[in-house]
Structures are given as C-alpha cells and as structure tokens.
Amino acid sequence: EPQLEDLISRDINLPSGGSIRIDHTEALTVFDVNSAHYTGKSNKLEDLAFTVNKEAAREICRQLRLRDIGGIIVIDFIDMKDKEHQQELLKLLGAQAKLDKMKTVVCGISSLGLVEMTRKRARQGLQTLMFDTCPQCGGTGYMLSGRTVYMQIVRRIRELFKSGRIKTNLEIEVHPEVAQYLTKTIVEDLGESIGRKISIVVNPQISREGYSLMAIAE
C-alpha cells in the first residue's frame, strides 16, 4: 500500500533530502527537481546541485517505467554551471534510459536549461488508469474563488436587467464560500439598482462555482 501511495503522489523524496514534483499535461510530463531539505555534507551550491540531480535522474527514469509515462518529458534539474557536470548528468540519464524496454531518448539540454526526453507511448499510463477527471475543476486543478463567482453573479444579474429579462424578485442559491461576499448591504444595493428584492439561499451541497438564479413571485 505505501508503494502504491508513492506511485500516485505528485511528490517524490530523494535520499539526500531533495525532492521531485511531477506534473502531467495533455502534451507532456514535467519533472521539477528541488534541493528541498538537502542533508549532504557539502555546502557548495554546485556540489549540492550535482548530488541531488544525479539522484533525481535515476529516480525519474525509474518513475517513467513504474508509471509507464510516455510522450514528451521535460526535466527542470537544479541549475549547474559546470559543463562537465552537465555532460555527466546527460550520460547518466542515457545509461538509465537504456534499462527501459520502451524506446527512450535523451534529447539534451535546451537553451533554457531544461532536459528534454521522449519515451515511446505503448499503452495508457498509470495516471490515466488510476484517475478520473475531476468533475469540479474539469482536470485543471483549479476552481474559481468565491469572490470570482460572486462577481460573476453580479455581472449576470446586471446583464439580465439591461436586457429586460428580470420581471420578478430573485432568489440566488450559492455555496457558503460565495455567500460570504453577498453581504446584506451588497444585496440591498444590487436589489435597488434593478428595482427588485433579492434573497440569498446558502447550499453547501452545490459546487463553489455553481449557482442558480430563480424568479420569485411577488
């Protein structure tokens, strides 16, 4: 179970105290290497970077196999100034790539200092097999804030009023995180601007991004 938990985690800890973060997109997979809680003996930045990067290179190639990640892979290693260290790191990546049954190619370091790789995509990766797209955020990993939804509601009401489509009083059903911005003063001012009474219903069961505007008989 702990190993399965590690496989679905975005963050991987390295022996030296460094870490790797994995981000998947439709086009590519990104590995971001960080020194994090480095516990090595050397305090020199170049030595620190080289140590963590070598550990990360081995672990990244291992994760490619375990998670069956294919397509374009971009790795943001810790910056190293020493050209010999850079070449040694690429050599290590190439050696690790040869251990993979799937064709894996180390393309080199880009002008931005990112290492680019490709790995043959033969089947669905672990990410696709074990996860469904989030129904709340649609797979983006982000949701609109309560304040943003509140402003959407105000703009929508004003738009409906200008088009002459508000004929009755209104009841607005919102999530609690949105309701906190619809204060009594704001609701009364908005109601006066459209010549209607507006009431707020708080529903914790609906999505934060969801809301409903209902006509209420006078």
Side-chain angles (χ1 to χ4, degrees), residues 14-20 33-40 45-60 77-78 80 89:
L14 299 171
S16 66
S19 67
I20 303 170
V33 182
N34 299 288
S35 58
H37 304 290
Y38 175 71
T39 57
L45 292 178
E46 184 70 21
D47 292 341
L48 179 155
F50 190 43
T51 299
V52 175
N53 284 343
K54 285 192 296 182
E55 288 182 352
R58 295 188 182 93
E59 184 60 31
I60 287 170
F77 284 108
I78 302 172
M80 296 185 300
L89 183 64

